Amino acid sequence: MIRTFILAAAMTLATTASGFSAEPIVGNWKTASGETAAIASCGGSYCITLKTGKHAGKRIGNLAGSGDSYSGEITDPANDKTYSGSASISGSSLKMQGCVLKVLCKSQTWTRM
């Protein structure tokens, strides 16, 4: 009887804990150039920091949003220019887009690691 109660309590806790998962954007992503970028929660938004490559340790973005749609700013680490940006998630892919004046845009797709 006690064993059944303990097993039921453990299953309830496991089910409840899985309901509190992180935002889909949080985690490590492989960029189009093959580097690793980490996206983490930071002060009500999500910060993008390069973990590998020539610009490792550099913060390259700040996005806000939830679910599968985010917007904010993205910096090109090669020329240090910042653009208005957006991100959308579909499965294990993250489509990043940066625009100048919302007219000239470039995009790339990252994959979850």
Side-chain angles (χ1 to χ4, degrees):
M1 180 74 167
I2 292 176
R3 184 181 301 196
T4 304
F5 176 74
I6 292 172
L7 181 59
M11 289 177 63
T12 301
L13 286 174
T15 303
T16 304
S18 67
F20 296 109
S21 62
E23 277 293 318
I25 199 166
V26 172
N28 291 320
W29 297 87
K30 183 173 210 143
T31 68
S33 62
E35 298 170 333
T36 299
I39 301 179
S41 180
C42 62
S45 62
Y46 300 95
C47 296
I48 307 168
T49 305
L50 289 175
K51 294 299 204 181
T52 62
K54 180 179 178 182
H55 303 285
K58 183 172 185 143
R59 181 190 262 178
I60 61 165
N62 191 9
L63 300 170
S66 64
D68 62 358
S69 181
Y70 302 84
S71 62
E73 294 183 334
I74 299 173
T75 301
D76 181 347
N79 63 17
D80 212 29
K81 291 187 179 182
T82 301
Y83 305 95
S84 62
S86 63
S88 60
I89 297 174
S90 177
S92 62
S93 296
L94 175 66
K95 183 178 180 184
M96 301 289 286
Q97 185 174 46
C99 299
V100 176
L101 302 173
K102 297 188 180 189
V103 178
L104 302 170
C105 300
K106 288 181 84 176
S107 64
Q108 47 180 252
T109 301
W110 297 0
T111 53
R112 185 176 294 281
M113 297 183 76

